[in-house]
Amino acid sequence: MTLLNDPRTRRRRLGVAATAAGLLAALLTAAPAAATPDPGDAPVGRTEVSKNDVNEARKAIENGEIPGVDEIVHSANIEHVANVPKDALPGTNSDLAFQGKYAFAGNYDGFRIFDISNPKKPRTVSQVLCPGSQNDISVDGDLLFLSTDSSRSDSSCNSTTQPATEKSSWEGMKVFDISDKRNPKYVAAVETACGSHTHTLVPERKDVYIYVSSYSPSASFPDCQPPHDGISVIKVPRKAPQKAAVVGFPVLFPGEGVDGGGNPGAPTNPGVSKTTGCHDITVLPSKDLAAGACMGDGILFSIKDPERPKVIERVQDNVNFAFWHSATFNQKADKVVFTDELGGGGAATCNAEIGPDRGANGIYDIVGKGDKLKLEFRSYYKIPRHQSDAENCVAHNGSLIPVKGKDIMVQAWYQGGVSVWDFTDSARPKEIAYFERGPLSLDGSLGGGSWSAYYYNGYIYSNDMAKGFDVLKIDDRRTDPAKRVRTDELNVQTQPDYFG
């Protein structure tokens, strides 16, 4: 392993190939569909890379500017304590959820349950084959929820892909009973408009509400019609999950005509995705507040009435944000971090040519009170280590590290690895730790790295799309207080009140 004081790590300031300018131009001028994040129906992994980019990466490895293929580098305050390769589910690894001594790992082919009672030796408890793009995952008590964002022949786990133009096609939410972790049981399915790219739990006393984020409607899709300017809300009775059903479709972007009232995208705002729904929503139940990352818009809304969320603030960044991807509140709920998924997760955007402000996080202060809250931009944060043009890299899923009085976050950056960074000073964020691998391969294609990196009960867990389940331990005085904080359950998009 290579540590922080190694010359290879210090020199990771890779210049870019001349072809990067062409990539940048393509990203800036792409039609809205080209900015769609994540792989949709297709697994990540086979985006073609030019020979020039591959040759530049080889030279950078030879010169010690970047790690070698699959070589691990990390800061001195991070320890890589475990890796569990993919097993029976060969698809792309996706999101993570946690409960007690278990971690739940989504995969495009289903999900896997790990026993993490000993984080240094995670043990597979069960693997469930249930193909469906994304398979975004969360848990609540004895229930597990799984998003399906690919058009399927039916709602079963034996379904096959089927065109969205066919009325009989299905996509939406699946519900499993996980009271027996060794033998999860599929108990319910709820079809939702345009499927479920991601979902967010809003737990209530007797019921669980699910906010379903989906997008990219088409007049040719019977179950995904434009303008699709809102979210589906599902109500799941905890004691009768088989009765789960859609109870509403609140419009978040009211407007006239088939385009609704969200960001119009190109040509009005070149390089920005047209808003036709949300990509991800994070709720802070203790404050009755939610933040939505909605393609061309970032929003705050009240969830005092979970069936009828009310938008109270909306912002755009038509200069540096291509696709509003996800959101994270700080503990005091006076800041929110929005991520921009420039290039859809399949492009090399962590280089000098694209720079520090695109494909980054946007940090906003939340000012005001009640329904008068406003979002005020403060700064961008992007990992300071340039990646090669053979590595897909952009801001992706992360979580708070619960340190009272500080705002510290751990975050996945695909092949940019895992970054731990401090945004206590909103205007001057800084990285304090990192872990990454060198390029996945130099065979002319890219697509891998950490999809989600979350802090849970003393450790960082990362679901690498290609390499499997990683466990990291950070040893740093700035994050050490978090080791004393424990939670029984963690769905990162349902943020806990750690100190309430």
Side-chain angles (χ1 to χ4, degrees), residues 343-363:
T349 70
C350 296
N351 53 38
E353 183 72 27
I354 289 175
D357 297 341
R358 303 215 65 198
N361 297 316
I363 303 167

Side-chain angles (χ1 to χ4, degrees), residues 125-390:
V125 177
S126 59
Q127 299 185 72
V128 175
L129 179 64
C130 194
S133 174
Q134 288 283 120
N135 275 340
D136 191 46
I137 194 167
S138 58
V139 293
D140 182 272
D142 288 336
L143 300 178
L144 180 147
F145 304 94
L146 208 63
S147 287
T148 299
D149 192 33
S150 60
S151 184
R152 314 295 299 182
S153 56
D154 56 59
S155 63
S156 76
C157 286
N158 298 316
S159 66
T160 58
T161 58
Q162 183 169 291
T165 52
E166 295 187 23
K167 176 62 180 172
S168 63
S169 296
W170 184 93
E171 50 187 320
M173 289 298 308
K174 295 169 181 169
V175 185
F176 290 80
D177 183 326
I178 53 168
S179 52
D180 181 355
K181 304 295 188 295
R182 296 166 300 176
N183 186 30
K185 295 180 179 178
Y186 187 10
V187 296
V190 181
E191 186 171 14
T192 54
C194 301
S196 175
H197 195 72
T198 66
H199 68 270
T200 305
L201 302 188
V202 186
E204 296 292 318
R205 187 170 297 175
K206 294 181 180 180
D207 308 304
V208 181
Y209 286 94
I210 305 175
Y211 289 167
V212 176
S213 295
S214 56
Y215 52 89
S216 294
S218 170
S220 65
F221 299 162
D223 299 318
C224 183
Q225 292 285 299
H228 193 71
D229 47 10
I231 57 174
S232 296
V233 179
I234 296 173
K235 183 178 180 179
V236 185
R238 280 198 176 89
K239 294 185 178 180
Q242 69 277 7
K243 294 181 179 179
V246 174
V247 294
F249 187 86
V251 173
L252 304 179
F253 303 97
E256 299 296 328
V258 296
D259 292 331
N263 195 317
T268 304
N269 297 316
V272 178
S273 290
K274 175 181 176 181
T275 298
T276 59
C278 290
H279 177 274
D280 209 350
I281 292 169
T282 294
V283 298
L284 196 57
S286 62
K287 304 290 186 181
D288 288 327
L289 198 61
C294 303
M295 305 183 74
D297 294 90
I299 60 173
L300 283 179
F301 52 99
S302 168
I303 57 169
K304 290 178 182 178
D305 181 346
E307 289 191 28
R308 299 170 183 82
K310 177 185 176 183
V311 175
I312 54 181
E313 170 69 324
R314 171 184 167 194
V315 291
Q316 297 179 355
D317 180 346
N318 294 321
V319 175
N320 287 314
F321 261 48
F323 192 104
W324 295 69
H325 174 274
S326 53
T328 302
F329 289 101
N330 70 337
Q331 182 61 34
K332 292 183 178 179
D334 58 8
K335 299 174 189 173
V336 63
V337 175
F338 288 103
T339 67
D340 172 27
E341 197 181 39
L342 175 68
T349 70
C350 296
N351 53 38
E353 183 72 27
I354 289 175
D357 297 341
R358 303 215 65 198
N361 297 316
I363 303 167
Y364 288 76
D365 282 355
I366 303 173
V367 299
K369 295 182 179 180
D371 289 350
K372 302 295 184 181
L373 295 178
K374 295 294 181 184
L375 290 167
E376 294 185 354
F377 174 78
R378 289 292 179 262
S379 66
Y380 298 105
Y381 170 77
K382 194 171 184 178
I383 55 173
R385 291 157 286 108
H386 290 151
Q387 310 295 303
S388 76
D389 289 340

Side-chain angles (χ1 to χ4, degrees), residues 444-463:
S445 62
L446 57 78
S450 179
W451 178 289
S452 298
Y454 299 146
Y455 185 92
Y456 177 70
N457 290 353
Y459 289 83
I460 294 169
Y461 297 88
S462 167
N463 213 16

